[in-house]
Amino acid sequence: MMSNNIIKKESIDFLEKYLNNASPTGYESEGQKIWMDYLKPYVDTFITDNYGTAVGVINPDAKFKVVIEGHADEISWYVNYITPEGLIYVIRNGGSDHQIAPSKVVNIHTKKGVVKGVFGWPAIHTRIGGKEETPKLDNIFIDVGCKTKEEVEKLGVHVGCVITYPDEFFILNENNFVCRALDNRMGGFMIAEVARLLKENEIKLDFGLYITNSVQEEIGLRGAEMITQTIKPNVAIVTDVCHDTTTPMINKMKEGETKSGDGPVISYAPAVQNNLRELIIETAESKKIPFQRLASSRATGTDTDAFAYSNGGVPSALISLALRYMHTTVEMVHKDDVENVIRLIYESLLKIDPKKGFSYFN
């Protein structure tokens, strides 16, 4: 039996280190090393691929393979153009939000190390007269304290350098985790905690478990698309984030109603296999784990879609964390939800029977 207080101090120490490390799409490897180092005592072996997806494997020789998955990458920017006056214009690497950029400090990653910069913005005094421009991709710019393009280049900054925000992890009002990149390093954290609990509780699984931390989700589920061909799983349980739709300026008629603190969010979507989803719901009900429901239309927009539609069809399901302020630097989730997602994945794994499978036609 698991204690109610699932997340230990050592877990939080790992989470903080893991979140504070920059892991932009395409440059996830340093974060993956931190994650693998934490996971190592709880798995039998690792698989990695050429683009940086990392998989911890328990029972690697088992024929029936179950994936639990999160994604490792965070949204970022690329240096796109350096003006003769030494200012930097950017393009997105993932769904980076132009509206939150002005006055943010940035880290530009170069071969010489990190170069600090700021997203500048005209002073309020110069914007009088009702003709204020809103931040857009073509008017936000980074200032690194240089007056010429040559000066910028001397710092090691060039077109193609990736740019992240330096904002770091903290806990708000005891129960809320806040940081950039909770989407979806919380997923990587939660699946690692599932592996830890399986080891500590000496659980022997009847199948191979593939704890998968995929790269490049933010630009089209690409890491999952690659690794699912390598693993060839029989089942995939994916965890990602969805919106807390109870904060201001979100239309519940369009986005549905899901709330931070009210439990894991279980998705309904064509990619979600009904029998697997019902196993998860029955698990939540029997173990008294609170949960919420979310309907997607054509796609979940998560790695669930990549796993589901691979290898002739892999029964897949999605368990999400309700997140406030997605794709900002102050993403926020509730500690209770994090613990309950960990519990729900853990308990669902214990109910999977490789002999039964998930076919609708048994």
Side-chain angles (χ1 to χ4, degrees), residues 74 112 118 125 138 155 157 188 192 260 265 308 355:
E74 66 182 282
K112 295 181 179 179
V118 296
H125 318 65
D138 62 6
L155 295 175
V157 176
S260 174
V265 179
K355 293 187 192 76

Side-chain angles (χ1 to χ4, degrees), residues 65 67 69 212 214 221-238 270-273 302-317:
K65 300 175 185 178
V67 160
E69 192 259 10
T212 304
S214 300
L221 324 181
R222 298 308 190 189
E225 185 182 310
M226 290 184 267
I227 201 66
T228 188
Q229 308 300 336
T230 302
I231 298 170
K232 301 203 178 324
N234 298 90
V235 179
I237 298 173
V238 173
V272 173
Q273 212 267 358
T302 71
D303 283 338
T304 314
D305 304 335
F307 281 97
Y309 300 132
S310 73
N311 298 293
V314 175
S316 300

Side-chain angles (χ1 to χ4, degrees), residues 193-320:
E193 290 297 275
V194 170
R196 177 177 66 79
L197 290 168
L198 289 168
K199 183 78 168 183
E200 288 178 0
N201 294 329
E202 299 180 352
I203 301 295
K204 301 285 179 245
L205 297 170
D206 294 332
F207 47 79
L209 184 64
Y210 291 70
I211 301 114
T212 304
N213 210 7
S214 300
V215 297
Q216 299 197 22
E217 188 272 351
E218 295 291 358
I219 51 89
L221 324 181
R222 298 308 190 189
E225 185 182 310
M226 290 184 267
I227 201 66
T228 188
Q229 308 300 336
T230 302
I231 298 170
K232 301 203 178 324
N234 298 90
V235 179
I237 298 173
V238 173
T239 183
D240 206 325
V241 295
C242 62
H243 304 288
D244 177 342
T245 63
T246 65
T247 58
M249 297 186 288
I250 295 178
N251 181 348
K252 291 194 193 80
M253 271 71 82
K254 179 170 174 274
E255 302 291 346
E257 184 169 38
T258 44
K259 185 177 182 181
S260 174
D262 277 14
V265 179
I266 297 172
S267 277
Y268 289 71
V272 173
Q273 212 267 358
N274 298 328
N275 290 340
L276 179 58
R277 185 195 57 245
E278 290 309 303
L279 177 144
I280 292 167
I281 288 173
E282 285 160 18
T283 301
E285 289 170 343
S286 69
K287 295 294 176 182
K288 298 188 166 40
I289 300 170
F291 69 93
Q292 308 173 74
R293 290 179 166 95
L294 175 66
S296 296
S297 180
R298 292 173 63 88
T300 69
T302 71
D303 283 338
T304 314
D305 304 335
F307 281 97
Y309 300 132
S310 73
N311 298 293
V314 175
S316 300
L318 174 60
I319 303 172
S320 299

Side-chain angles (χ1 to χ4, degrees), residues 7 25 56 61 78 88 122 148 180 217 238 261 341:
I7 302 174
T25 301
D61 298 327
Y78 280 123
I88 296 167
T148 66
R180 44 155 255 299
E217 188 272 351
V238 173
V341 170

Side-chain angles (χ1 to χ4, degrees), residues 121 143 149 157 195 237 239 253 256 324 339 358:
W121 195 245
D143 189 332
K149 180 179 180 180
V157 176
I237 298 173
T239 183
M253 271 71 82
R324 292 183 163 203
E339 293 203 329
F358 291 94

